[in-house]
Amino acid sequence: MHIPRLLINFKAYVESSGDRAVEISKSAERVWKETGVLIGVSPNIIDLRQVSSSVEIPVFAQHVDPIPAGAYTGHVPPSLVKEAGARGSLLNHSERQIPLRHIAESISIMRDLKLISIVCSPTPSESAAVAALSPDAIAVEPPELIGSGIPVSKAKPEVILSSLRSVRVVNSAIPLLCGAGISSGDDVRAALELGSYGVLVASAVTKSPDPQRKIRELAEPIASFTRA
Amino acid sequence: MHIPRLLINFKAYVESSGDRAVEISKSAERVWKETGVLIGVSPNIIDLRQVSSSVEIPVFAQHVDPIPAGAYTGHVPPSLVKEAGARGSLLNHSERQIPLRHIAESISIMRDLKLISIVCSPTPSESAAVAALSPDAIAVEPPELIGSGIPVSKAKPEVILSSLRSVRVVNSAIPLLCGAGISSGDDVRAALELGSYGVLVASAVTKSPDPQRKIRELAEPIASFTRA
Amino acid sequence: MHIPRLLINFKAYVESSGDRAVEISKSAERVWKETGVLIGVSPNIIDLRQVSSSVEIPVFAQHVDPIPAGAYTGHVPPSLVKEAGARGSLLNHSERQIPLRHIAESISIMRDLKLISIVCSPTPSESAAVAALSPDAIAVEPPELIGSGIPVSKAKPEVILSSLRSVRVVNSAIPLLCGAGISSGDDVRAALELGSYGVLVASAVTKSPDPQRKIRELAEPIASFTRA
Amino acid sequence: MHIPRLLINFKAYVESSGDRAVEISKSAERVWKETGVLIGVSPNIIDLRQVSSSVEIPVFAQHVDPIPAGAYTGHVPPSLVKEAGARGSLLNHSERQIPLRHIAESISIMRDLKLISIVCSPTPSESAAVAALSPDAIAVEPPELIGSGIPVSKAKPEVILSSLRSVRVVNSAIPLLCGAGISSGDDVRAALELGSYGVLVASAVTKSPDPQRKIRELAEPIASFTRA
């Protein structure tokens, strides 16, 4: 199971919806081919199928409900996400918080379906809590830095270090992505040096005048770092 | 603005997802061409774009969030639903209940976008409440009959009559769809005779061994009735 | 059934909790005796029983759940609120929004128990929606003015006028309280002149250095107005 | 900080509300004095203050919101719970599930106030997740056994054993209460022998024709066990 080192959250931005969702995903695919860095994209659910059928890189939903297929109006079961071509889903993003039980149940349903679960968490202790549920990866994002342009890897390196330590106590095998405010190659390098497996970004790419160049800038330090 | 007389909710059923969502929608389109009865389909959000680009009949989301496009992970703004080709959305289905304020705000955002809002309600008094928010249509569905195969038009005709009366006091121009348990042409006829503008169905079509024949069976009484 | 003309929401303020909840309620009771203006208090649920047993004026919960007594950990059924001595409850305050169905069910359960339901609403159209559910009173509070010190009766008189008109179309018998930013006798007078039955206040009283004097200031225009 | 070995959840039962809440709490106090077993009671929030002022044993809220005192209509901050005399609160009961973040924040706020946090969890992995947040105790209750009369300690001993193991990996100092279906002294003994620190009960006591005798029956095996 391949966890992306660079995961791009498209949120519900106009700039990364519809045809633009496909374009940015193709840019990410190109950078993956150039650099060998595994890049994932997480488009809005409305674009999930189209993006999944347009690129080879792994595509992630932004949220799933802990339900089977069935009589659930206005809900998205993991099985339909899989059928649409996605390889996994984000869960519990700070913009879409869910009860502890839903996190646990969604991870379990996704594991049975061989979907990759990447659970978001704002703090070291919540990261450790999530680790106890054995998701495939954890994305640490202090919410006060999301969208701020102030990179967590520089503003709050202790959150990453402490999350790594806390998660390791519970389950040392779970890779940690770090997010919030990551917007340059330097930010990515700092995150990797602190021990992150990879990074989760959003506006830095989706709002960039040249998304492909930005994706390349973010992927290059990962390529150097993982080669080293 | 054209409100469908027959609206088919695909929920999150396997039987009406992916390629099957497109097939059933094309069947509905064929019946519309044969009979002249306006039929709408409401696929799972994951299929919304693909269905919208495959048929001419109006396509509806099952739920939208009362938000603009932007930094909203795991949410669906009406503007993206429109961009994906949908003509409107269901709101407040008994399987996806939302706060009163969200109903009001979603209707208002959809009105500005010229999207059709069809708000679900379980009782006459809630139908009247919803009417005060001026959606484009109201779908009355007593939740205890949803999926039961016991048609509201026969089991609880007083719910329809009373909803019609209550809604008319508030806003006489809002058409009423009636739903829950509708599974035959007879049920549809009964609903129309009680004063419904149309019907909302789900499993009767999506779980049918021959959805097109079932759609035709449900549409024919509407064709006769509206011709009369 | 007696709807208070002046209803004081204690929220979860330190200044109106515990012994202070009882003191402010006794002040309100004194002003009621002096002026004849019916005053209600809505303490935090944690103080509800003690306040109810300390004063004769009507006491209101700030929220109830639409459930019977039973196996509901961390919930408050209307029947227990009644047993504790309360005369009714606020519902759907903008700080505690609930699904449309919960509003409808709570009103219905409270009606059966002869408890007074006062439902909050931020706008004229939502006030009309609530009116269709036949609560005992509606409190209109534009949320942007709550706690602002800018009185709705002066800043947005059209919200009150329009709410009155909208509610009247649906159910002309429902009294309207107006709230948000009301902090002086002048604000109260303006609200009454616009057609409000009464007012809903919070910080103006609870944060006042002399709550009894403030309550008197707010009650006096009501006494003059209703005598006139 | 003293964690009760026997914690009685009064839920929103008529049988354990109002004067009956005080009576059952006094019975629990008597059994504590007789046996030395620390017993806690968790009345409905509406009875919290009265019960707290009537007994010396620790009293717990059933839920708190992760907020400071302030402008929060219809919410209960931990600080008001403390001011009312409670010694702590249950959190995340399966009848009142909350987002992971709310659990983390409530524990943190309660720790600062020196209130005891007892967090409920349905499974071993969720118990481990909760342990990572360092509450004062965890109560494991498989929801399918709650109110069933089938004791978790007999029907699902592996849930208790596995929860103990999982929690110990994360934080070996956190005591585990076990709940769901516990209704006799034998059930309690089985729970202790499996390694539980204590038990969480509800209907077994509150619906008993003789609550004091039932409390004694449940406390005695704890007295014997902890003496041994």
Side-chain angles (χ1 to χ4, degrees), chain D residues 114-144:
Chain D
K114 300 198 194 314
L115 285 170
I116 300 171
S117 55
I118 302 180
V119 182
C120 300
S121 152
T123 63
S125 67
E126 285 167 67
S127 299
V130 166
L133 306 172
S134 300
D136 295 303
I138 296 172
V140 190
E141 292 199 311
E144 66 277 18

Side-chain angles (χ1 to χ4, degrees), chain C residues 9 11-14 17-18 44-50 62-63 69-77 80-81 83-84 93 95-96, chain D residues 9 11-14 17-18 44-50 62-63 69-77 80-81 83-84 93 95-96:
Chain C
N9 178 2
K11 300 197 175 185
Y13 290 125
V14 170
S17 293
N44 193 281
I45 187 73
I46 219 164
D47 297 314
L48 189 79
R49 182 183 296 280
Q50 199 174 13
Q62 293 175 7
H63 167 80
Y72 300 98
T73 301
H75 291 277
V76 178
L80 293 195
V81 157
E83 185 273 335
H93 190 277
E95 292 157 7
R96 188 70 158 97
Chain D
N9 179 1
K11 301 199 175 183
Y13 290 125
V14 170
S17 293
N44 193 281
I45 187 73
I46 219 165
D47 296 314
L48 190 80
R49 183 183 296 280
Q50 198 174 14
Q62 294 175 6
H63 167 81
Y72 299 100
T73 301
H75 291 277
V76 178
L80 293 195
V81 157
E83 185 273 333
H93 191 278
E95 293 157 7
R96 187 73 158 94

Side-chain angles (χ1 to χ4, degrees), chain B residues 106-157:
Chain B
S106 295
I107 291 173
S108 165
I109 292 173
M110 291 174 74
R111 188 183 298 125
D112 291 346
L113 292 166
K114 301 200 193 312
L115 286 170
I116 300 171
S117 55
I118 302 182
V119 182
C120 300
S121 151
T123 63
S125 66
E126 285 167 66
S127 300
V130 166
L133 306 172
S134 302
D136 295 304
I138 295 172
V140 190
E141 292 199 309
E144 67 277 17
L145 298 180
I146 293 177
S148 69
I150 303 167
V152 59
S153 47
K154 291 186 172 168
K156 299 214 169 180

Side-chain angles (χ1 to χ4, degrees), chain C:
Chain C
M1 202 169 265
H2 299 296
I3 314 296
R5 295 271 185 180
L6 170 58
L7 179 56
I8 309 166
N9 178 2
F10 291 6
K11 300 197 175 185
Y13 290 125
V14 170
E15 295 85 350
S16 45
S17 293
D19 293 344
R20 300 286 319 259
V22 174
E23 277 172 42
I24 298 176
S25 301
K26 284 188 171 166
S27 295
E29 186 180 47
R30 260 175 246 124
V31 176
W32 161 58
K33 286 182 179 170
E34 285 168 27
T35 61
V37 172
L38 189 60
I39 303 173
V41 290
S42 186
N44 193 281
I45 187 73
I46 219 164
D47 297 314
L48 189 79
R49 182 183 296 280
Q50 199 174 13
V51 168
S52 297
S53 67
S54 305
V55 294
E56 287 171 63
I57 56 174
V59 178
F60 291 79
Q62 293 175 7
H63 167 80
V64 288
D65 295 301
I67 51 170
Y72 300 98
T73 301
H75 291 277
V76 178
S79 59
L80 293 195
V81 157
K82 177 166 190 176
E83 185 273 335
R87 301 286 291 276
S89 184
L90 287 171
L91 284 172
N92 198 46
H93 190 277
S94 79
E95 292 157 7
R96 188 70 158 97
Q97 293 179 49
I98 56 178
L100 173 60
R101 179 140 342 147
H102 286 201
I103 304 176
E105 290 174 346
S106 295
I107 291 172
S108 166
I109 293 173
M110 291 175 75
R111 188 182 298 124
D112 291 345
L113 293 166
K114 302 199 192 312
L115 285 169
I116 299 171
S117 55
I118 302 181
V119 182
C120 300
S121 153
T123 63
S125 67
E126 286 168 66
S127 299
V130 166
L133 305 173
S134 302
D136 295 303
I138 296 171
V140 190
E141 293 198 309
E144 67 277 16
L145 299 179
I146 293 179
S148 68
I150 304 167
V152 59
S153 47
K154 291 185 172 168
K156 299 213 169 180
E158 73 283 5
V159 168
I160 299 177
L161 288 170
S162 175
S163 294
L164 282 163
R165 264 196 307 271
S166 307
V167 166
R168 206 167 294 141
V169 169
V170 178
N171 184 335
S172 60
I174 301 177
L176 213 72
L177 304 182
C178 108
I182 301 282
S183 58
S184 73
D186 274 2
D187 303 340
V188 173
R189 194 170 299 108
L192 298 173
E193 284 167 357
L194 290 165
S196 292
Y197 174 85
V199 295
L200 174 61
V201 301
S203 55
V205 167
T206 61
K207 303 252 178 190
S208 166
D210 184 346
Q212 182 163 327
R213 177 204 284 248
K214 180 54 79 178
I215 297 170
R216 194 178 291 120
E217 177 191 338
L218 301 172
E220 276 170 355
I222 303 176
S224 320
F225 195 89
T226 52
R227 251 197 316 270

